Amino acid sequence: MADVQSLARGENRPAPLDASGSITVSVTGAAVDVSALLLTAAGRVRSDQDLVFFNNPAGPGVRYAPDGVTVDTRGVPAEVETIAITASLDGSGPATFGGVPLRATVGSELDFPMTGLTTETAVVGVEIYRRGDGWKVRAVGQGYDDGLAGIATAFGITVDEPEPEPAAAPPAQPVPPQPVPQQSVPQQPDYPQPAPPVRQEGLAVRSELFAPSNAEVQGNGILKQGSKMARVAMNGEVMARSGSMVAYQGDLRFEAQGSGGIGNMIRRTVTGEGVPLMKVSGRGDLFLANAAQDVHIIDLDGSDGLTINGSNVLAFDTSLSYRIGRVQGAAASSNAGLFNCVFTGRGRIAITTDGQPVVLTVDQPTFADPQAAVAWSSSLQTSVKSNDQLNFGTLIGRSTGERFTLQFSGQGFVVVQPSELPPGGLIAGTGGGQQAGVGGALGGLLGR
């Protein structure tokens, strides 16, 4: 085996390809997500699909793995001149690359220590590029303060910008969530009478299961089916949490959607927040649920948005817009949660809570545990308040258990559930796979 040779920034060497024409690049030294961009001679991607990362793990000639990226030069399209290998912080470690001994390893022969980084949160480490009939490696080490989104933008990927924060003028009075009319169900006596016989395989079946309260509700769009399920009368499209379908009738099609477009997928690599979505289309009846949690319906009329933890989203109309937004006023060092999902526009959304919630009208300073606050008016101002005094008691682990609270001010509402479940889990707002552990309490609320 050849000795490992170190590269200096800007230096290039022949790419140490293996016998099959492949090479693997890994980045170590911090908790990072490694990505690759396929670039033309103009230094730009051809489309969003030329960004290969955890949510788009394979491209022509390039394959993502948790520990790095493998390039098969025989499969790289002729119009692709360069593959830029990047690394971005995944949020579970340091806040920046300052002082981090970051290192890129190319094959088994080349090593590039990336020194001199300070406030950067993402870096282009090395480039694998064509030179004549062969391939070479260039040590780059260029850092970006705005994470993977900054790198993606620099190379031609459009990442939707977050909506500007509201002006200082008093926000418009939001419309509180309106109850959705439900099908009228006859009042049942304390001891329900036997249901009418139901024929099944030639036998008469009697059971309280066939009481009217368990019948399918009627109506269009997203409706409550009992307290823990939603029914969607389908004649078009609806967005729903992946894996939430419990039954359906008719001709429906299911298509995985990641976490809401390339921009939201990129943000999810650093925020950990997002909704693993599927698009359901066709005609029929769709029934949705999530871990037997309580289901609630909210209608948005376009006058105010709804900020909600991704793990509490069950389904929403395609007329609504969705993005990942930062909780205003949250400091980067806070463990109280920084990122949530923001829905705007006109349409209906189904959310879940762990138990029957309370809806607080915010007309004075209002505080909530970040693991119990489910959703709130996007027009509200937020900040994170530290309750425990930093003293010897907190240093040795003594705490009130209420170290951080979210403060809400302005005019609007906050939905608070009777549960303080800890963050984490595969279907939580913390994301899955490589993204677990990011975003604090709000990022992983109700993770299961």
Side-chain angles (χ1 to χ4, degrees):
M1 180 181 295
D3 294 335
V4 177
Q5 301 179 14
S6 291
L7 295 173
R9 184 175 274 108
E11 187 177 1
N12 58 73
R13 299 278 183 89
L17 306 178
D18 62 19
S20 66
S22 297
I23 188 171
T24 297
V25 180
S26 59
V27 181
T28 58
V32 297
D33 285 319
V34 181
S35 309
L37 294 112
L38 284 67
L39 308 176
T40 65
R44 310 280 285 183
V45 297
R46 299 168 300 170
S47 72
D48 290 349
Q49 295 305 308
D50 281 344
L51 172 62
V52 177
F53 68 127
F54 81 96
N55 252 336
N56 183 38
V62 180
R63 187 175 69 255
Y64 164 86
D67 56 349
V69 172
T70 298
V71 178
D72 180 359
T73 57
R74 298 171 304 177
V76 177
E79 63 269 26
V80 173
E81 294 283 338
T82 302
I83 295 117
I85 313 299
T86 76
S88 54
L89 290 167
D90 69 5
S92 64
T96 70
F97 282 132
V100 174
L102 201 63
R103 183 177 301 274
T105 302
V106 183
S108 59
E109 300 178 17
L110 299 179
D111 174 81
F112 174 38
M114 289 175 274
T115 59
L117 299 175
T118 55
T119 61
E120 296 87 350
T121 57
V123 63
V124 176
V126 298
E127 293 177 344
I128 311 297
Y129 65 99
R130 297 181 188 270
R131 179 62 68 195
D133 294 332
W135 291 84
K136 301 190 74 172
V137 176
R138 179 185 295 113
V140 180
Q142 179 181 353
Y144 291 76
D145 287 346
D146 43 0
L148 180 59
I151 292 179
T153 301
F155 290 107
I157 292 178
T158 300
V159 179
D160 296 334
E161 291 298 326
E163 296 178 5
E165 294 188 3
Q173 181 68 28
V175 177
Q178 300 296 317
V180 176
Q182 302 297 314
Q183 180 188 21
S184 177
V185 177
Q187 181 67 35
Q188 298 298 307
D190 291 339
Y191 299 95
Q193 299 301 311
V198 175
R199 288 288 174 183
Q200 186 175 35
E201 297 182 357
L203 299 177
V205 179
R206 294 177 181 270
S207 172
E208 71 278 4
L209 283 172
F210 304 110
S213 58
N214 292 336
E216 181 180 347
V217 299
Q218 301 300 313
N220 297 321
I222 304 173
L223 299 172
K224 286 184 66 172
Q225 176 69 51
S227 64
K228 299 182 182 297
M229 194 180 301
R231 170 188 177 267
V232 187
M234 296 288 302
N235 186 17
E237 295 180 348
V238 72
M239 302 299 293
R241 168 172 290 278
S242 293
S244 63
M245 185 274 291
V246 294
Y248 73 91
Q249 295 176 310
D251 181 18
L252 300 183
R253 296 174 298 280
F254 299 82
E255 179 183 354
Q257 297 290 298
S259 57
I262 190 72
N264 279 333
M265 285 194 294
I266 290 172
R267 288 194 192 91
R268 191 176 174 208
T269 66
V270 292
T271 67
E273 179 61 77
V275 188
L277 294 174
M278 60 181 178
K279 180 172 70 175
V280 187
S281 56
R283 293 174 61 90
D285 296 326
L286 173 66
F287 296 88
L288 305 170
N290 186 27
Q293 292 181 327
D294 292 334
V295 173
H296 311 276
I297 306 295
I298 299 176
D299 287 309
L300 299 184
D301 67 356
S303 64
D304 192 12
L306 179 69
T307 301
I308 179 174
N309 290 290
S311 53
N312 294 87
V313 176
L314 183 63
F316 58 94
D317 289 333
T318 55
S319 59
L320 291 174
S321 298
Y322 154 65
R323 67 178 177 84
I324 296 172
R326 186 182 182 93
V327 174
Q328 302 171 24
S333 60
S334 168
N335 291 323
L338 303 178
F339 298 90
N340 276 331
C341 305
V342 182
F343 291 86
T344 54
R346 298 177 65 89
R348 178 168 292 185
I349 183 169
I351 70 172
T352 59
T353 61
D354 197 22
Q356 186 66 29
V358 60
V359 179
L360 301 177
T361 299
V362 179
D363 52 12
Q364 58 183 321
T366 301
F367 302 84
D369 188 289
Q371 291 171 211
V374 171
W376 57 88
S377 306
S378 296
S379 58
L380 290 176
Q381 289 79 52
T382 60
S383 60
V384 175
K385 178 183 179 183
S386 177
N387 296 319
D388 283 351
Q389 297 294 319
L390 183 60
N391 54 29
F392 183 72
T394 58
L395 291 176
I396 64 174
R398 297 175 183 171
S399 173
T400 63
E402 309 293 345
R403 186 170 184 183
F404 294 104
T405 54
L406 281 176
Q407 178 175 348
F408 303 90
S409 57
Q411 298 289 320
F413 66 90
V414 178
V415 180
V416 181
Q417 67 178 2
S419 175
E420 299 178 82
L421 291 180
L426 281 180
I427 313 181
T430 56
Q434 299 304 306
Q435 313 317 312
V438 186
L442 286 183
L445 183 60
L446 291 188
R448 298 187 177 210

